[in-house]
PDB file of all heavy atoms in Angstrom:
ATOM      1  N   ARG A 100      19.309  11.038 -16.977  1.00  0.00           N
ATOM      2  CA  ARG A 100      19.215  10.550 -18.358  1.00  0.00           C
ATOM      3  C   ARG A 100      19.958   9.232 -18.536  1.00  0.00           C
ATOM      4  O   ARG A 100      19.559   8.386 -19.346  1.00  0.00           O
ATOM      5  CB  ARG A 100      19.773  11.613 -19.312  1.00  0.00           C
ATOM      6  CG  ARG A 100      19.624  11.290 -20.787  1.00  0.00           C
ATOM      7  CD  ARG A 100      20.218  12.386 -21.650  1.00  0.00           C
ATOM      8  NE  ARG A 100      21.653  12.477 -21.475  1.00  0.00           N
ATOM      9  CZ  ARG A 100      22.530  11.674 -22.096  1.00  0.00           C
ATOM     10  NH1 ARG A 100      22.103  10.721 -22.913  1.00  0.00           N
ATOM     11  NH2 ARG A 100      23.829  11.832 -21.902  1.00  0.00           N
ATOM     12  N   THR A 101      21.033   9.023 -17.792  1.00  0.00           N
ATOM     13  CA  THR A 101      21.884   7.849 -18.003  1.00  0.00           C
ATOM     14  C   THR A 101      21.832   6.830 -16.864  1.00  0.00           C
ATOM     15  O   THR A 101      22.495   5.802 -16.925  1.00  0.00           O
ATOM     16  CB  THR A 101      23.348   8.292 -18.178  1.00  0.00           C
ATOM     17  OG1 THR A 101      23.780   8.984 -16.989  1.00  0.00           O
ATOM     18  CG2 THR A 101      23.498   9.236 -19.365  1.00  0.00           C
ATOM     19  N   ARG A 102      21.024   7.075 -15.834  1.00  0.00           N
ATOM     20  CA  ARG A 102      21.092   6.249 -14.628  1.00  0.00           C
ATOM     21  C   ARG A 102      20.756   4.785 -14.871  1.00  0.00           C
ATOM     22  O   ARG A 102      21.329   3.902 -14.221  1.00  0.00           O
ATOM     23  CB  ARG A 102      20.157   6.821 -13.561  1.00  0.00           C
ATOM     24  CG  ARG A 102      18.686   6.814 -13.917  1.00  0.00           C
ATOM     25  CD  ARG A 102      17.849   7.632 -12.949  1.00  0.00           C
ATOM     26  NE  ARG A 102      16.450   7.684 -13.372  1.00  0.00           N
ATOM     27  CZ  ARG A 102      15.532   8.459 -12.820  1.00  0.00           C
ATOM     28  NH1 ARG A 102      15.871   9.265 -11.813  1.00  0.00           N
ATOM     29  NH2 ARG A 102      14.290   8.459 -13.254  1.00  0.00           N
ATOM     30  N   VAL A 103      19.845   4.487 -15.783  1.00  0.00           N
ATOM     31  CA  VAL A 103      19.490   3.090 -16.003  1.00  0.00           C
ATOM     32  C   VAL A 103      20.633   2.326 -16.654  1.00  0.00           C
ATOM     33  O   VAL A 103      20.753   1.109 -16.488  1.00  0.00           O
ATOM     34  CB  VAL A 103      18.202   2.987 -16.848  1.00  0.00           C
ATOM     35  CG1 VAL A 103      18.458   3.362 -18.299  1.00  0.00           C
ATOM     36  CG2 VAL A 103      17.607   1.583 -16.752  1.00  0.00           C
ATOM     37  N   HIS A 104      21.513   3.011 -17.366  1.00  0.00           N
ATOM     38  CA  HIS A 104      22.668   2.372 -18.000  1.00  0.00           C
ATOM     39  C   HIS A 104      23.820   2.197 -17.022  1.00  0.00           C
ATOM     40  O   HIS A 104      24.682   1.335 -17.222  1.00  0.00           O
ATOM     41  CB  HIS A 104      23.129   3.201 -19.197  1.00  0.00           C
ATOM     42  CG  HIS A 104      22.047   3.413 -20.222  1.00  0.00           C
ATOM     43  ND1 HIS A 104      21.491   2.380 -20.947  1.00  0.00           N
ATOM     44  CD2 HIS A 104      21.398   4.545 -20.615  1.00  0.00           C
ATOM     45  CE1 HIS A 104      20.556   2.860 -21.762  1.00  0.00           C
ATOM     46  NE2 HIS A 104      20.485   4.169 -21.576  1.00  0.00           N
ATOM     47  N   TYR A 105      23.869   3.020 -16.000  1.00  0.00           N
ATOM     48  CA  TYR A 105      24.942   2.977 -15.003  1.00  0.00           C
ATOM     49  C   TYR A 105      24.312   2.950 -13.608  1.00  0.00           C
ATOM     50  O   TYR A 105      24.414   3.911 -12.841  1.00  0.00           O
ATOM     51  CB  TYR A 105      25.855   4.190 -15.155  1.00  0.00           C
ATOM     52  CG  TYR A 105      26.369   4.359 -16.563  1.00  0.00           C
ATOM     53  CD1 TYR A 105      25.766   5.267 -17.441  1.00  0.00           C
ATOM     54  CD2 TYR A 105      27.426   3.578 -17.036  1.00  0.00           C
ATOM     55  CE1 TYR A 105      26.214   5.407 -18.739  1.00  0.00           C
ATOM     56  CE2 TYR A 105      27.879   3.714 -18.336  1.00  0.00           C
ATOM     57  CZ  TYR A 105      27.275   4.625 -19.182  1.00  0.00           C
ATOM     58  OH  TYR A 105      27.719   4.760 -20.475  1.00  0.00           O
ATOM     59  N   PRO A 106      23.637   1.849 -13.254  1.00  0.00           N
ATOM     60  CA  PRO A 106      22.828   1.822 -12.033  1.00  0.00           C
ATOM     61  C   PRO A 106      23.613   1.930 -10.735  1.00  0.00           C
ATOM     62  O   PRO A 106      23.016   2.199  -9.693  1.00  0.00           O
ATOM     63  CB  PRO A 106      22.094   0.475 -12.135  1.00  0.00           C
ATOM     64  CG  PRO A 106      22.956  -0.369 -13.013  1.00  0.00           C
ATOM     65  CD  PRO A 106      23.534   0.578 -14.013  1.00  0.00           C
ATOM     66  N   SER A 107      24.936   1.726 -10.778  1.00  0.00           N
ATOM     67  CA  SER A 107      25.719   1.832  -9.548  1.00  0.00           C
ATOM     68  C   SER A 107      26.238   3.249  -9.299  1.00  0.00           C
ATOM     69  O   SER A 107      26.828   3.513  -8.251  1.00  0.00           O
ATOM     70  CB  SER A 107      26.906   0.859  -9.588  1.00  0.00           C
ATOM     71  OG  SER A 107      26.454  -0.477  -9.580  1.00  0.00           O
ATOM     72  N   VAL A 108      26.038   4.137 -10.259  1.00  0.00           N
ATOM     73  CA  VAL A 108      26.530   5.512 -10.109  1.00  0.00           C
ATOM     74  C   VAL A 108      25.566   6.317  -9.243  1.00  0.00           C
ATOM     75  O   VAL A 108      24.358   6.329  -9.478  1.00  0.00           O
ATOM     76  CB  VAL A 108      26.711   6.186 -11.480  1.00  0.00           C
ATOM     77  CG1 VAL A 108      27.081   7.662 -11.307  1.00  0.00           C
ATOM     78  CG2 VAL A 108      27.787   5.462 -12.272  1.00  0.00           C
ATOM     79  N   VAL A 109      26.106   6.982  -8.249  1.00  0.00           N
ATOM     80  CA  VAL A 109      25.325   7.775  -7.294  1.00  0.00           C
ATOM     81  C   VAL A 109      25.435   9.253  -7.647  1.00  0.00           C
ATOM     82  O   VAL A 109      26.505   9.724  -8.024  1.00  0.00           O
ATOM     83  CB  VAL A 109      25.854   7.555  -5.860  1.00  0.00           C
ATOM     84  CG1 VAL A 109      25.086   8.402  -4.862  1.00  0.00           C
ATOM     85  CG2 VAL A 109      25.782   6.088  -5.483  1.00  0.00           C
ATOM     86  N   PHE A 110      24.346   9.991  -7.522  1.00  0.00           N
ATOM     87  CA  PHE A 110      24.408  11.445  -7.664  1.00  0.00           C
ATOM     88  C   PHE A 110      24.466  12.070  -6.279  1.00  0.00           C
ATOM     89  O   PHE A 110      23.537  11.937  -5.469  1.00  0.00           O
ATOM     90  CB  PHE A 110      23.195  11.987  -8.426  1.00  0.00           C
ATOM     91  CG  PHE A 110      23.263  13.472  -8.671  1.00  0.00           C
ATOM     92  CD1 PHE A 110      23.987  13.970  -9.736  1.00  0.00           C
ATOM     93  CD2 PHE A 110      22.631  14.358  -7.818  1.00  0.00           C
ATOM     94  CE1 PHE A 110      24.069  15.342  -9.957  1.00  0.00           C
ATOM     95  CE2 PHE A 110      22.703  15.725  -8.025  1.00  0.00           C
ATOM     96  CZ  PHE A 110      23.433  16.219  -9.098  1.00  0.00           C
ATOM     97  N   GLU A 111      25.584  12.726  -5.997  1.00  0.00           N
ATOM     98  CA  GLU A 111      25.790  13.411  -4.726  1.00  0.00           C
ATOM     99  C   GLU A 111      25.431  12.514  -3.542  1.00  0.00           C
ATOM    100  O   GLU A 111      25.968  11.423  -3.395  1.00  0.00           O
ATOM    101  CB  GLU A 111      25.029  14.752  -4.722  1.00  0.00           C
ATOM    102  CG  GLU A 111      25.537  15.728  -5.769  1.00  0.00           C
ATOM    103  CD  GLU A 111      24.908  17.096  -5.666  1.00  0.00           C
ATOM    104  OE1 GLU A 111      23.873  17.274  -4.993  1.00  0.00           O
ATOM    105  OE2 GLU A 111      25.466  18.022  -6.261  1.00  0.00           O
ATOM    106  N   ASP A 112      24.517  12.965  -2.667  1.00  0.00           N
ATOM    107  CA  ASP A 112      24.208  12.208  -1.448  1.00  0.00           C
ATOM    108  C   ASP A 112      22.959  11.341  -1.596  1.00  0.00           C
ATOM    109  O   ASP A 112      22.363  10.922  -0.606  1.00  0.00           O
ATOM    110  CB  ASP A 112      24.035  13.161  -0.259  1.00  0.00           C
ATOM    111  CG  ASP A 112      22.918  14.191  -0.487  1.00  0.00           C
ATOM    112  OD1 ASP A 112      22.428  14.312  -1.632  1.00  0.00           O
ATOM    113  OD2 ASP A 112      22.547  14.884   0.482  1.00  0.00           O
ATOM    114  N   GLY A 113      22.579  11.054  -2.848  1.00  0.00           N
ATOM    115  CA  GLY A 113      21.405  10.227  -3.085  1.00  0.00           C
ATOM    116  C   GLY A 113      21.723   8.741  -3.043  1.00  0.00           C
ATOM    117  O   GLY A 113      22.798   8.318  -2.612  1.00  0.00           O
ATOM    118  N   GLU A 114      20.769   7.946  -3.492  1.00  0.00           N
ATOM    119  CA  GLU A 114      20.886   6.496  -3.513  1.00  0.00           C
ATOM    120  C   GLU A 114      20.887   6.038  -4.970  1.00  0.00           C
ATOM    121  O   GLU A 114      20.072   6.493  -5.767  1.00  0.00           O
ATOM    122  CB  GLU A 114      19.694   5.892  -2.766  1.00  0.00           C
ATOM    123  CG  GLU A 114      19.724   4.385  -2.602  1.00  0.00           C
ATOM    124  CD  GLU A 114      18.566   3.891  -1.724  1.00  0.00           C
ATOM    125  OE1 GLU A 114      17.482   4.534  -1.720  1.00  0.00           O
ATOM    126  OE2 GLU A 114      18.738   2.866  -1.046  1.00  0.00           O
ATOM    127  N   SER A 115      21.805   5.162  -5.331  1.00  0.00           N
ATOM    128  CA  SER A 115      21.840   4.670  -6.702  1.00  0.00           C
ATOM    129  C   SER A 115      20.709   3.684  -6.947  1.00  0.00           C
ATOM    130  O   SER A 115      20.101   3.152  -6.015  1.00  0.00           O
ATOM    131  CB  SER A 115      23.186   3.993  -6.993  1.00  0.00           C
ATOM    132  OG  SER A 115      23.252   2.721  -6.360  1.00  0.00           O
ATOM    133  N   LEU A 116      20.444   3.419  -8.214  1.00  0.00           N
ATOM    134  CA  LEU A 116      19.417   2.442  -8.560  1.00  0.00           C
ATOM    135  C   LEU A 116      19.798   1.055  -8.055  1.00  0.00           C
ATOM    136  O   LEU A 116      18.940   0.290  -7.600  1.00  0.00           O
ATOM    137  CB  LEU A 116      19.194   2.414 -10.071  1.00  0.00           C
ATOM    138  CG  LEU A 116      18.196   3.427 -10.650  1.00  0.00           C
ATOM    139  CD1 LEU A 116      18.589   4.859 -10.330  1.00  0.00           C
ATOM    140  CD2 LEU A 116      18.034   3.230 -12.147  1.00  0.00           C
ATOM    141  N   ALA A 117      21.083   0.725  -8.136  1.00  0.00           N
ATOM    142  CA  ALA A 117      21.542  -0.582  -7.649  1.00  0.00           C
ATOM    143  C   ALA A 117      21.392  -0.691  -6.136  1.00  0.00           C
ATOM    144  O   ALA A 117      21.022  -1.754  -5.615  1.00  0.00           O
ATOM    145  CB  ALA A 117      22.998  -0.803  -8.058  1.00  0.00           C
ATOM    146  N   GLN A 118      21.663   0.389  -5.426  1.00  0.00           N
ATOM    147  CA  GLN A 118      21.502   0.367  -3.968  1.00  0.00           C
ATOM    148  C   GLN A 118      20.036   0.190  -3.593  1.00  0.00           C
ATOM    149  O   GLN A 118      19.702  -0.568  -2.669  1.00  0.00           O
ATOM    150  CB  GLN A 118      22.050   1.664  -3.365  1.00  0.00           C
ATOM    151  CG  GLN A 118      23.561   1.755  -3.398  1.00  0.00           C
ATOM    152  CD  GLN A 118      24.064   3.127  -2.996  1.00  0.00           C
ATOM    153  OE1 GLN A 118      23.358   4.138  -3.137  1.00  0.00           O
ATOM    154  NE2 GLN A 118      25.287   3.188  -2.500  1.00  0.00           N
ATOM    155  N   LEU A 119      19.136   0.876  -4.296  1.00  0.00           N
ATOM    156  CA  LEU A 119      17.714   0.741  -4.014  1.00  0.00           C
ATOM    157  C   LEU A 119      17.247  -0.685  -4.289  1.00  0.00           C
ATOM    158  O   LEU A 119      16.504  -1.272  -3.490  1.00  0.00           O
ATOM    159  CB  LEU A 119      16.906   1.726  -4.857  1.00  0.00           C
ATOM    160  CG  LEU A 119      15.381   1.629  -4.699  1.00  0.00           C
ATOM    161  CD1 LEU A 119      14.957   1.963  -3.272  1.00  0.00           C
ATOM    162  CD2 LEU A 119      14.664   2.528  -5.697  1.00  0.00           C
ATOM    163  N   HIS A 120      17.685  -1.253  -5.403  1.00  0.00           N
ATOM    164  CA  HIS A 120      17.293  -2.624  -5.732  1.00  0.00           C
ATOM    165  C   HIS A 120      17.816  -3.597  -4.679  1.00  0.00           C
ATOM    166  O   HIS A 120      17.097  -4.512  -4.247  1.00  0.00           O
ATOM    167  CB  HIS A 120      17.801  -3.013  -7.115  1.00  0.00           C
ATOM    168  CG  HIS A 120      17.445  -4.407  -7.511  1.00  0.00           C
ATOM    169  ND1 HIS A 120      18.339  -5.456  -7.414  1.00  0.00           N
ATOM    170  CD2 HIS A 120      16.283  -4.932  -7.975  1.00  0.00           C
ATOM    171  CE1 HIS A 120      17.743  -6.562  -7.816  1.00  0.00           C
ATOM    172  NE2 HIS A 120      16.505  -6.280  -8.165  1.00  0.00           N
TER     173      HIS A 120
END
Side-chain angles (χ1 to χ4, degrees):
R100 185 181 66 81
T101 60
R102 63 191 176 189
V103 73
H104 303 295
Y105 307 99
S107 294
V108 174
V109 178
F110 184 83
E111 297 187 345
D112 59 349
E114 185 174 30
S115 74
L116 274 58
Q118 288 171 334
L119 177 63
H120 180 260

